[in-house]
Amino acid sequence: MPTYKYTALDKYGKKIEKNYSAQSKGEVLNMLRQNNYYPIKVEIDSKTKDIKKFTIPRKVKIKDIAVFCRQFYAMTNAGVPIVSCLDILRYQTENKNLKKTLNDVYEDVNKGMTLSESLKTHKRIFPDLLINMVEAGEVSGNLDVIMDRMATHYEKENKINNKVKGAMTYPIILSVISILVVIFLLVVVMPTFVGMFESSGVGLPKPTLILLAVSNFIKSFWYILSALIISLIYLYKKYSESVKGRRRIDSIKLSIPIIKGTAIKIITSKFTRTMSTLLSSGVPLIEALDIVSRIVGNKVVEEGLLQSKEDIRKGINLAEPIKNIGVFPPMVTSMIKIGEESGALDDILDKTANFYDDEVETAIQRMTTLLEPLMIVLMAIIIGAIVIAMVLPMFDMINTIQY
């Protein structure tokens, strides 16, 4: 039987924090009401989780989450009980990590836990957004509708992610091939040319000598160079995981001309779509901002959204603090203002999200169109400089033969 940690107020207003063993969260709430306690927070105690749940599996892909939500919706909408849905899904899910997790969730729900409570114990697998939405669906009694919205949400997010990955595939391949070509020229071709020139008694010009020094260094100290590259990658990863580092990197992403527009449109698309999904499902505005801040994927915007929560608590409308973040396009602020005035903020945000989904596709195509020729020119300059440095001694050799 799982143990729940609860925070409540007694009839005198005194705050109480204790643990209570129960089959479900609802049983804990009933106990509190029977004792005339006002519940503030009830959650499963992480210390009581099974040892198997302390394992840290890799996160599953957004595509797998979308398929899970779509299949779950189809079955619950047809009247299939939640336990039966989980029983079916745990056998037909192809992703191994998700399959193992669904086995655990199925066992938890069979023991009396709610679906959202079980999902909370697997936050490495299920996104915070999905967990919060499932909990909202259980409270409102429309879990099937929630799952339909989440399936649509993750399908759109997966579509955008695939477009970004597809756009970056060519530049990455071009970069890797160019680096391999440069290494081949320096390590294999360069020594052959230099040996031929030295045997003819021709003096080597300074650019060729510099290139030869680089070639000798790579051949003699390749292990030092490899260790240096690995160390730099490790340090960058650690720096990007820190709050200061992530904020700095995300700030740079919003200032580089070529990728700035695309990054802003992707952030805007995530923000408007997620806010629309949360608000249309009955999640309070402040709680919705807290959830959205964790999934926009940019520390600068995340901190701005958290500050917006404080402004809203002071009675300020959402449009003003969103504008003060200084990242979202003016259209977003205007649409939010219209939505607040009309009382249809969720619907307005949904239409805005659809617009920016199309904008993201256009921005990615534009970025790719600009990035590809720039990379080709850059690689041509580097490889051309190497070739020229290797050919320069030939001119000295020709001049020596002529005179």
Side-chain angles (χ1 to χ4, degrees):
M1 183 180 293
T3 300
Y4 290 84
K5 185 176 182 180
Y6 68 83
T7 303
L9 298 176
D10 62 14
K11 59 182 179 180
Y12 301 107
K14 184 180 177 181
K15 190 175 182 180
I16 301 172
E17 292 183 357
K18 290 184 179 180
N19 293 334
Y20 183 79
S21 296
Q23 291 289 349
S24 66
K25 183 177 178 180
E27 188 176 329
V28 180
L29 292 173
N30 288 333
M31 181 276 296
L32 293 174
R33 293 190 189 100
Q34 289 172 4
N35 288 277
N36 295 321
Y37 290 158
Y38 179 77
I40 297 176
K41 186 177 182 181
V42 178
E43 61 183 1
I44 191 167
D45 189 357
S46 59
K47 295 180 181 178
T48 65
K49 296 174 191 175
D50 296 335
I51 295 176
K52 63 184 178 180
K53 292 179 184 178
F54 280 95
T55 57
I56 305 178
R58 295 176 60 188
K59 284 188 176 182
V60 299
K61 296 179 180 178
I62 293 295
K63 178 182 177 182
D64 294 319
I65 296 294
V67 172
F68 164 74
C69 292
R70 180 61 65 195
Q71 292 176 336
F72 199 97
Y73 158 71
M75 286 186 282
T76 52
N77 189 52
V80 180
I82 292 177
V83 175
S84 299
C85 291
L86 293 171
D87 189 30
I88 295 170
L89 290 174
R90 66 180 178 146
Y91 287 113
Q92 70 177 37
T93 301
E94 296 180 359
N95 185 284
K96 292 182 179 179
N97 290 321
L98 184 57
K99 181 188 287 288
K100 181 179 180 301
T101 304
L102 287 178
N103 273 320
D104 295 339
V105 173
Y106 171 75
E107 292 174 3
D108 290 341
V109 174
N110 260 329
K111 292 175 183 178
M113 291 178 64
T114 64
L115 179 59
S116 61
E117 289 170 345
S118 180
L119 296 183
K120 284 179 182 178
T121 65
H122 301 282
K123 288 191 174 182
R124 293 287 300 180
I125 293 291
F126 299 104
D128 288 340
L129 174 62
L130 177 60
I131 295 172
N132 283 276
M133 292 297 288
V134 168
E135 188 172 15
E138 289 173 332
V139 172
S140 62
N142 59 345
L143 184 58
D144 57 337
V145 177
I146 293 295
M147 280 303 198
D148 183 33
R149 290 175 182 168
M150 294 313 301
T152 303
H153 175 89
Y154 287 118
E155 284 165 358
K156 290 182 177 180
E157 185 173 339
N158 181 61
K159 183 179 178 181
I160 291 176
N161 290 343
N162 287 339
K163 289 184 182 298
V164 174
K165 290 177 183 177
M168 296 307 298
T169 299
Y170 178 77
I172 291 173
I173 292 175
L174 180 61
S175 300
V176 172
I177 292 176
S178 300
I179 291 171
L180 293 176
V181 170
V182 168
I183 293 174
F184 176 77
L185 290 174
L186 290 175
V187 176
V188 180
V189 180
M190 184 68 186
T192 304
F193 272 80
V194 171
M196 181 178 64
F197 295 143
E198 287 179 342
S199 62
S200 64
V202 176
L204 299 178
K206 192 170 183 179
T208 307
L209 290 173
I210 294 173
L211 206 62
L212 181 61
V214 174
S215 175
N216 291 332
F217 177 80
I218 294 175
K219 290 199 312 184
S220 302
F221 303 102
W222 60 269
Y223 51 91
I224 296 179
L225 187 61
S226 300
L228 179 62
I229 293 173
I230 293 173
S231 299
L232 289 175
I233 293 173
Y234 175 78
L235 290 174
Y236 172 80
K237 184 178 179 181
K238 284 295 180 183
Y239 180 70
S240 63
E241 289 175 350
S242 66
V243 176
K244 182 180 178 181
R246 186 182 166 196
R247 184 190 301 112
R248 180 61 179 165
I249 293 170
D250 287 344
S251 178
I252 292 173
K253 289 179 182 178
L254 296 175
S255 60
I256 299 176
I258 296 179
I259 67 173
K260 175 183 177 181
T262 305
I264 290 176
K265 286 181 173 62
I266 291 174
I267 292 170
T268 303
S269 174
K270 283 185 177 181
F271 167 74
T272 51
R273 188 187 326 109
T274 308
M275 280 293 291
S276 171
T277 304
L278 289 166
L279 294 176
S280 62
S281 302
V283 178
L285 179 58
I286 292 179
E287 187 179 341
L289 283 172
D290 186 52
I291 296 170
V292 172
S293 67
R294 298 195 295 267
I295 65 171
V296 289
N298 188 283
K299 192 66 178 177
V300 176
V301 178
E302 178 184 341
E303 292 175 350
L305 291 174
L306 292 176
Q307 180 58 46
S308 299
K309 286 172 50 183
E310 304 305 318
D311 294 335
I312 290 171
R313 284 194 177 100
K314 296 175 183 177
I316 302 174
N317 289 333
L318 178 62
E320 189 62 28
I322 292 298
K323 180 181 179 181
N324 293 336
I325 295 175
V327 174
F328 295 105
M331 175 184 170
V332 176
T333 306
S334 300
M335 295 297 281
I336 290 175
K337 188 174 182 180
I338 293 170
E340 289 179 313
E341 292 174 351
S342 63
L345 182 57
D346 55 341
D347 187 49
I348 293 292
L349 285 173
D350 182 55
K351 290 180 171 61
T352 307
N354 291 333
F355 171 79
Y356 277 100
D357 284 345
D358 296 333
E359 284 291 297
V360 166
E361 185 173 355
T362 303
I364 290 174
Q365 291 175 349
R366 188 183 301 115
M367 183 185 69
T368 307
T369 303
L370 292 172
L371 195 59
E372 289 178 2
L374 283 176
M375 292 193 65
I376 292 173
V377 170
L378 179 62
M379 294 302 108
I381 291 173
I382 294 173
I383 296 175
I386 295 174
V387 173
I388 290 173
M390 290 190 298
V391 173
L392 275 176
M394 288 186 178
F395 294 102
D396 293 336
M397 185 185 295
I398 294 172
N399 291 332
T400 301
I401 295 173
Q402 289 178 345
Y403 293 103

